């Protein structure tokens, strides 16, 4: 059993590393939406722009559940990721903070453009320091090419990850797919679906 868990965590880490990075290939797309229905192997997804797509998974897919976390869970030395908006003073106002398990350290490391909102940025790195600021906690996050200060507000969503289950994907489930491949028939295919458990939404 312990070996099975280790293999699952290793697959979890690898799949996340290969899907969280900026999607650059022309034949891949991100999907953010809600499951509207399930037709055999096909998930019918209503995307955030109101369109409908049909999504299938590859053999041996990975399902990853997003679960609530808190600022109290974040300590110096942890690896985190955050999408947010840059401020005039050079800080990044965090829309969300993802606490990565240690097995996922290094996932998507860096600071780069993101498409959660117009002009949003993604910053993934190591927490060097956590202090109290005027608007809330401030995380000093260092990555290989620099460092950013992330301002966490009461509206910031803090989450972490658990290995999920296919059975938890049902109509009404909110999902995120970082890099789905376009197939000739117009459907999309992915090796991994991240979803919000118990009605929650992935904060991507």
């Amino acid at each position: 059993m312990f070996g099975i868990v280790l293999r699952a965590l290793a697959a979890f880490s690898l799949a996340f590393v290969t899907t969280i990075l900026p999607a650059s290939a022309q034949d891949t797309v991100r999907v953010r939406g809600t499951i509207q229905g399930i037709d055999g192997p096909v998930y019918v997804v209503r995307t955030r722009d109101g369109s409908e797509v049909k999504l299938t998974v590859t053999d041996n897919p990975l399902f990853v559940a997003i679960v609530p976390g808190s600022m109290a869970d974040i300590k110096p030395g942890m690896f985190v990721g955050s999408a947010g908006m840059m401020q005039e003073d050079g800080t990044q106002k965090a829309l969300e903070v993802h606490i990565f398990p240690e097995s996922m350290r290094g996932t998507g490391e860096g600071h780069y453009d993101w498409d959660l909102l117009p002009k949003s940025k993604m910053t993934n790195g190591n927490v060097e320091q956590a202090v109290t600021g005027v608007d809330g906690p401030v995380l000093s996050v260092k990555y290989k090419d620099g460092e950013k200060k992330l301002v966490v507000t009461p509206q910031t969503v803090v989450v972490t990850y658990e290995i999920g289950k296919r059975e938890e994907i049902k109509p009404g489930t909110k999902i995120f797919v970082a890099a789905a491949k376009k197939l000739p028939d117009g459907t999309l295919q992915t090796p991994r679906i991240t979803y919000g458990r118990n009605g929650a939404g992935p904060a991507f």
Side-chain angles (χ1 to χ4, degrees), residues 6-60:
L6 285 179
R7 288 194 294 273
L9 287 174
F12 179 19
S13 178
L14 177 61
F16 204 92
V17 168
T18 57
T19 57
I20 193 67
L21 294 172
S24 57
Q26 293 182 353
D27 62 343
T28 62
V29 296
R30 290 197 182 106
V31 179
R32 297 180 176 91
T34 303
I35 300 293
Q36 296 297 298
I38 302 173
D39 183 9
V42 179
Y43 296 99
V44 180
V45 184
R46 179 62 58 92
T47 67
R48 66 176 182 173
D49 65 4
S51 62
E52 187 175 276
V53 299
K54 293 183 178 180
L55 179 71
T56 62
V57 293
T58 58
D59 293 337
N60 301 313

Side-chain angles (χ1 to χ4, degrees), residues 66-176:
I66 292 284
V67 297
S70 73
M71 281 300 298
D73 299 326
I74 301 176
K75 303 291 189 297
M78 286 184 167
F79 194 87
V80 302
S82 176
M85 307 300 295
M86 296 305 298
Q87 305 299 294
E88 291 183 359
D89 62 1
T91 62
Q92 179 174 315
K93 186 176 181 180
L95 299 171
E96 43 77 14
V97 176
H98 300 259
I99 305 171
F100 291 108
E102 188 60 27
S103 63
M104 296 171 64
R105 176 174 291 277
T107 298
E109 183 176 355
H111 175 75
Y112 40 86
D113 292 339
W114 197 243
D115 60 353
L116 181 61
L117 292 175
K119 298 183 179 181
S120 61
K121 297 283 187 177
M122 178 68 81
T123 301
N124 288 16
N126 191 70
V127 177
E128 298 293 307
Q129 187 180 35
V131 300
T132 301
V134 175
D135 298 320
V138 178
L139 301 176
S140 294
V141 175
K142 189 173 184 179
Y143 46 94
K144 57 186 176 182
D145 297 321
E147 185 173 352
K148 286 288 180 291
K149 293 188 182 299
L150 308 181
V151 179
V152 181
T153 73
Q155 289 73 44
T156 301
V157 178
V158 181
V159 298
T160 188
Y161 304 88
E162 292 181 358
I163 295 174
K165 300 177 181 178
R166 182 191 295 264
E167 294 74 21
E168 292 186 320
I169 307 292
K170 58 188 68 174
T173 300
K174 298 175 183 178
I175 68 166
F176 171 76

